[in-house]
């Protein structure tokens, strides 16, 4: 069968006449997306065309509509094909590109030079040179901007190339404020929280509202040093999440965020990492207060992961999209009785989110006594180790559908952190060994001599455009510091405490500048300063007796605890099962789960009056 775009030559008719209507519409009116690569940008140089950069997340409602209804419109496709080299980037697969080219909205549409540097214009309200980006526009405005971009580039190519290179050299991000890693650093963050607490609707700040990583743990650890105000301040946070419109009690799980202060304007996507965080927090809430509402929220979220996001090969897909067929994206969930097919699943598999979900499921399974959760969590972690982890070379960021060898700091830090969490809930030494190896990989590769903070990716030999600029992401660096603190407590060496302290000191002068995201950094400071309760188990990790002791430890309501495992002897033998607990009351030992529970319950009582 001959393609409609194919032409058979008729030698009896002049060639010019035969191809007078060439090319056909099906070739003119389609998107030709090129990947972000040096070959693509060399093509732009060869054809002397600017680059149209389109960054989106496949699960995002606004990005989907822009891609389908605006960029997918025939006249715009024709303009892009004629005047630009179009580059598509999946934001979830390339966080390094997003970090440098983001515009604060999704999708990102920017005009670049063939070098990868942005096209700069002084036609801004302040008169300051800024990159040319395209926001929420209609078809007419989009065509106008693309046409003007071509004219601008063709008229001033050499000058714009010089300006773009100069601008790229000046876009180094603002450095954080360094300070002492002491209680004052955490207290200042807590003062910001106090000033920005939403007393009416819950949460902090006006909007958006979302799951805040580290918040319940921060309240617990401050309460453990006789500062219960954080617990009082955050008391309406989780209830507002569980009872509010973000939580989906019918299908399980939680939507991405609420854009309005009163938890309205829901962004209906359900992402793996947000749901793993929510699962972890509701699990902790159930430990502190074993009531049905917490148990139901945790179990429902686990069910959503295991039934909706589960990948056949183990682990989980990136998330569930919004309902693209409804105006606000929430039609499927807001009908009295859901009709039709559920929104599609974004089938990207990321190593970091899978490690997080795996660790959260294992802990939830232990706390709720649900073995199927533990099995699903272990399968996710095993997939990360099998498909992503390479000793001495880090962990791949993307595992599927197309496995990539790219490594980013956020992947290393998250996978290492959650592997250590899983090591404590399972006793699997492979998780500990891989976490230690990943941290060493970061130390050896993600920072240059003389630097303390870690860069977001390993410097490339010939970076394209802004990838040459320095980025040291706050969240990933804090996560790495928290991982180092745990390694120190697990016996890897005191140097990890020193590394963590140096890293936290880079930010400790003003954690509040990161607003609510600074909570997890304040938690890291608290973890560095406080002595955790240490539970050291001995015996065969797979034995029923040791598993019962471990289950007891995981089910205790302690604000800061480290569970380690005594290794086997050189001949492979194990000592008798038992647990050694080191806390404020000294060291206690027992081989009975019931006695271990009483010891840990005693250590969980805090405050001058022994308030639970």
């Amino acid at each position: 069968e001959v393609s409609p775009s194919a032409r058979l030559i008729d030698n009896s008719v002049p060639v010019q006449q035969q191809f007078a209507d060439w090319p056909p519409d099906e070739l003119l009116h389609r998107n030709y997306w090129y990947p972000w690569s040096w070959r693509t940008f060399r093509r732009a140089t060869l054809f002397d065309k600017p680059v149209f950069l389109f960054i989106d997340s496949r699960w995002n409602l606004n990005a989907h509509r822009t891609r389908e209804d605006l960029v997918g419109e025939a006249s715009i496709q024709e303009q892009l094909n004629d005047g630009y080299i179009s580059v598509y980037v999946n934001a979830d697969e390339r966080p390094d590109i997003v970090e440098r080219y983001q515009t604060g909205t999704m999708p990102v549409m920017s005009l670049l030079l063939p070098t990868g540097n942005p096209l700069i214009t002084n036609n801004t309200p302040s008169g300051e040179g800024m990159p040319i980006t395209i926001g929420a526009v209609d078809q007419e405005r989009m065509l106008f901007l693309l046409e003007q971009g071509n004219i601008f580039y063709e008229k001033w190519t050499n000058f714009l190339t010089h300006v773009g290179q100069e601008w790229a050299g000046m876009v180094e991000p603002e450095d954080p404020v360094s300070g002492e890693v002491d209680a004052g650093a955490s207290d200042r963050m807590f003062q910001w929280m106090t000033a920005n607490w939403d007393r009416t609707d819950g949460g902090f700040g006006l909007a958006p509202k979302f799951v805040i990583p580290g918040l319940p743990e921060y309240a617990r650890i401050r309460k453990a040093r006789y500062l219960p105000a954080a617990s009082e301040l955050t008391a309406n946070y989780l209830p507002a999440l569980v009872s509010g419109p973000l939580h989906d009690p019918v299908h399980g799980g939680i939507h991405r965020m609420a854009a309005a202060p009163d938890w309205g304007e829901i962004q209906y996507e359900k992402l793996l990492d947000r749901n793993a965080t929510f699962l972890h927090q509701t699990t902790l809430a159930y430990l502190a207060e074993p009531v049905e509402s917490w148990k139901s929220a945790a179990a429902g979220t686990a069910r959503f992961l295991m039934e909706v996001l589960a990948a056949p090969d183990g682990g989980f897909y990136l998330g569930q999209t919004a309902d693209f067929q409804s105006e606000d994206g929430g039609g499927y969930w807001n009908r009295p009785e859901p009709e039709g097919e559920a929104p599609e699943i974004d089938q990207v598999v990321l190593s970091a989110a899978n490690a997080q979900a795996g660790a959260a499921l294992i802990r939830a399974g232990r706390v709720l006594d649900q073995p199927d959760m533990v099995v699903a969590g272990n399968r996710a972690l095993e997939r990360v180790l099998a498909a992503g982890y390479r000793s001495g070379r880090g962990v791949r960021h993307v595992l599927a559908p197309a496995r990539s060898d790219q490594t980013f700091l956020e992947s290393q830090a998250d996978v290492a952190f959650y592997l250590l969490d899983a090591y404590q809930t399972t006793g699997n030494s492979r998780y500990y060994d891989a976490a230690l190896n990943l941290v060493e990989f970061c130390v050896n590769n993600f920072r240059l001599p003389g630097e303390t903070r870690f860069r977001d990716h390993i410097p490339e030999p010939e970076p394209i455009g802004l990838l040459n600029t320095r980025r040291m992401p706050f969240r990933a660096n804090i996560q790495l510091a928290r991982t180092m603190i745990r390694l120190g407590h697990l016996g890897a060496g005191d140097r990890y405490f020193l590394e963590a302290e140096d890293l936290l000191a880079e930010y400790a002068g003003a954690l509040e500048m990161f607003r609510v995201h600074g909570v997890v950094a304040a938690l890291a400071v608290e973890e560095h300063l406080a002595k955790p309760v240490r539970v050291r188990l001995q015996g065969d990790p797979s034995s029923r007796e040791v598993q019962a002791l471990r289950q007891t430890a995981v089910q205790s309501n302690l604000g800061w605890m480290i569970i380690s495992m005594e290794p086997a002897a050189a001949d492979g033998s194990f000592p008798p099962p038992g647990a050694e607990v080191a806390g404020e009351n000294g060291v206690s030992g027992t081989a009975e789960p019931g006695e271990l529970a009483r010891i840990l319950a005693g250590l969980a009582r805090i405050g001058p009056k022994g308030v639970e």
Side-chain angles (χ1 to χ4, degrees):
E1 184 179 348
V2 179
S3 168
S5 61
R7 283 293 180 88
L8 299 177
I9 301 298
D10 183 350
N11 293 324
S12 65
V13 180
V15 172
Q16 294 88 342
Q17 182 177 334
Q18 291 187 62
F19 289 87
D21 60 347
W22 187 268
D25 285 347
E26 68 179 86
L27 295 182
L28 286 174
H29 301 150
R30 56 165 291 185
N31 292 119
Y32 292 92
W33 294 116
Y34 291 93
W36 181 282
S37 69
W38 64 267
R39 289 185 178 88
T40 295
F41 285 89
R42 286 190 181 179
R43 177 185 291 269
T45 300
L46 178 64
F47 289 97
D48 194 22
K49 289 184 177 182
V51 171
F52 174 74
L53 174 64
F54 188 86
I55 306 175
D56 80 346
S57 291
R58 307 296 291 188
W59 44 260
N60 183 272
L61 177 65
N62 188 53
H64 171 83
R65 289 182 173 158
T66 301
R67 184 175 62 250
E68 298 296 321
D69 302 335
L70 184 65
V71 180
E73 202 280 329
S75 60
I76 292 174
Q77 291 173 335
E78 186 171 349
Q79 177 67 30
L80 286 172
N81 294 338
D82 182 59
Y84 294 85
I85 296 294
S86 298
V87 173
Y88 173 77
V89 172
N90 186 316
D92 299 296
E93 297 180 1
R94 292 300 302 263
D96 55 336
I97 296 175
V98 176
E99 174 66 25
R100 290 159 176 80
Y101 291 91
Q102 62 183 321
T103 59
T105 61
M106 187 62 69
V108 174
M109 293 186 286
S110 296
L111 305 187
L112 308 182
L113 294 157
T115 60
N117 291 328
L119 274 171
I120 303 296
T121 178
N122 289 322
N123 188 21
T124 60
S126 65
E128 180 182 358
M130 295 294 291
I132 299 176
T133 61
I134 302 174
V137 296
D138 58 19
Q139 177 183 334
E140 182 179 355
R141 181 66 176 171
M142 181 76 168
L143 282 171
F144 172 79
L145 292 173
L146 292 176
E147 290 167 358
Q148 291 301 305
N150 274 131
I151 294 170
F152 189 47
Y153 174 77
E154 290 170 4
K155 187 174 182 180
W156 301 99
T157 303
N158 292 334
F159 175 73
L160 289 172
T161 301
H162 172 75
V163 170
Q165 184 174 355
E166 188 176 71
W167 187 89
M170 299 187 297
V171 293
E172 293 293 333
E174 181 181 358
D175 286 330
V177 179
S178 62
E180 293 295 322
V181 185
D182 56 16
S186 175
D187 291 344
R188 288 189 294 274
M189 184 65 224
F190 178 68
Q191 289 166 9
W192 180 92
M193 293 171 63
T194 303
N196 290 273
W197 177 39
D198 186 340
R199 291 166 172 78
T200 303
D201 296 310
F204 298 89
L206 292 177
K209 300 289 182 65
F210 47 82
V211 179
I212 304 172
L215 185 58
E217 298 99 311
Y218 181 59
R220 288 174 59 175
I221 200 169
R222 280 184 65 92
K223 185 178 179 183
R225 68 177 180 96
Y226 307 96
L227 295 171
S231 294
E232 298 168 6
L233 197 65
T234 60
N236 66 350
Y237 159 72
L238 264 181
L241 277 180
V242 171
S243 62
L246 281 187
H247 179 220
D248 179 5
V250 176
H251 307 88
I254 197 161
H255 299 291
R256 184 165 65 98
M257 71 174 189
D262 63 351
W263 300 88
E265 299 182 26
I266 304 300
Q267 309 294 301
Y268 285 97
E269 302 88 358
K270 287 183 174 182
L271 302 182
L272 177 59
D273 57 350
R274 306 290 176 93
N275 277 274
T277 300
F278 184 64
L279 173 59
H280 179 69
Q281 293 186 357
T282 49
T283 300
L284 295 183
Y286 181 73
L287 281 176
E289 187 183 9
V291 296
E292 182 58 32
S293 59
W294 303 131
K295 182 178 182 180
S296 177
T301 303
R303 186 181 72 251
F304 168 71
L305 298 183
M306 294 160 58
E307 295 180 0
V308 179
L309 296 188
D313 298 333
F316 306 95
Y317 294 126
L318 189 149
Q320 187 175 32
T321 71
D323 181 357
F324 294 151
Q325 305 306 315
S326 62
E327 181 63 28
D328 66 351
Y332 174 79
W333 295 281
N334 291 330
R335 301 184 189 105
E337 293 185 8
E339 302 173 358
E341 294 186 6
E344 62 190 74
I345 302 300
D346 186 331
Q347 296 192 359
V348 171
V349 179
L350 300 180
S351 59
N354 268 271
Q356 181 183 8
L361 279 166
I362 293 171
R363 185 172 292 275
R366 294 284 192 187
V367 171
L368 303 179
D369 197 18
Q370 295 291 326
D372 58 331
M373 295 183 190
V374 177
V375 171
N378 275 309
R379 285 195 71 199
L381 290 169
E382 290 301 325
R383 181 168 186 183
V384 171
L385 290 181
Y389 171 67
R390 300 154 301 170
S391 180
R393 294 189 293 147
V395 64
R396 295 181 172 94
H397 178 67
V398 179
L399 304 182
R403 190 165 64 181
S404 167
D405 284 339
Q406 289 168 324
T407 58
F408 301 114
L409 180 67
E410 66 175 51
S411 304
Q412 318 310 309
D414 280 343
V415 171
F417 182 87
Y418 294 113
L419 282 173
L420 284 186
D421 187 72
Y423 164 68
Q424 294 178 79
T425 54
T426 65
N428 188 332
S429 61
R430 292 171 56 245
Y431 296 164
Y432 172 86
D433 293 340
L436 180 61
N437 189 273
L438 289 175
V439 171
E440 285 301 301
F441 175 70
C442 291
V443 170
N444 294 330
N445 294 280
F446 280 86
R447 61 184 178 188
L448 300 182
E451 293 178 344
T452 301
R453 288 179 292 145
F454 293 78
R455 299 187 174 222
D456 67 332
H457 68 269
I458 299 172
E460 301 174 357
E462 297 182 22
I464 299 168
L466 298 183
L467 289 187
N468 191 42
T469 60
R470 174 179 62 98
R471 292 293 188 277
M472 299 177 172
F474 166 73
R475 193 197 68 81
N477 273 274
I478 295 300
Q479 191 80 310
L480 196 57
R482 294 185 70 202
T483 307
M484 291 172 170
I485 292 168
R486 282 159 174 71
L487 283 173
H489 285 303
L490 287 167
D494 288 344
R495 79 176 181 90
Y496 290 102
F497 292 127
L498 299 176
E499 285 268 15
E501 182 174 13
D502 288 344
L503 193 49
L504 292 175
E506 292 281 312
Y507 303 95
L511 297 181
E512 63 275 14
M513 71 182 289
F514 299 99
R515 302 178 67 80
V516 73
H517 302 287
V519 167
V520 72
L523 170 61
V525 170
E526 294 279 358
E527 290 174 341
H528 178 71
L529 297 174
K531 288 184 177 180
V533 172
R534 300 189 190 189
V535 179
R536 186 170 180 83
L537 303 176
Q538 59 185 30
D540 183 349
S542 62
S543 70
R544 181 179 305 173
E545 295 82 1
V546 174
Q547 288 295 323
L549 290 168
R550 185 179 303 282
Q551 181 108 342
T552 300
V554 173
Q555 290 179 334
S556 63
N557 182 33
L558 283 162
W560 182 210
M561 178 174 63
I562 294 291
I563 306 172
S564 61
M565 189 76 217
E566 185 171 325
D571 62 359
S573 63
F574 295 101
E580 182 181 88
V581 181
E584 292 185 1
N585 299 331
V587 178
S588 304
T590 181
E592 297 296 325
E595 178 63 20
L596 177 60
R598 287 189 289 273
I599 294 171
L600 295 176
L603 291 171
R605 296 187 178 92
I606 62 138
K609 296 182 181 179
V611 179
E612 289 286 347

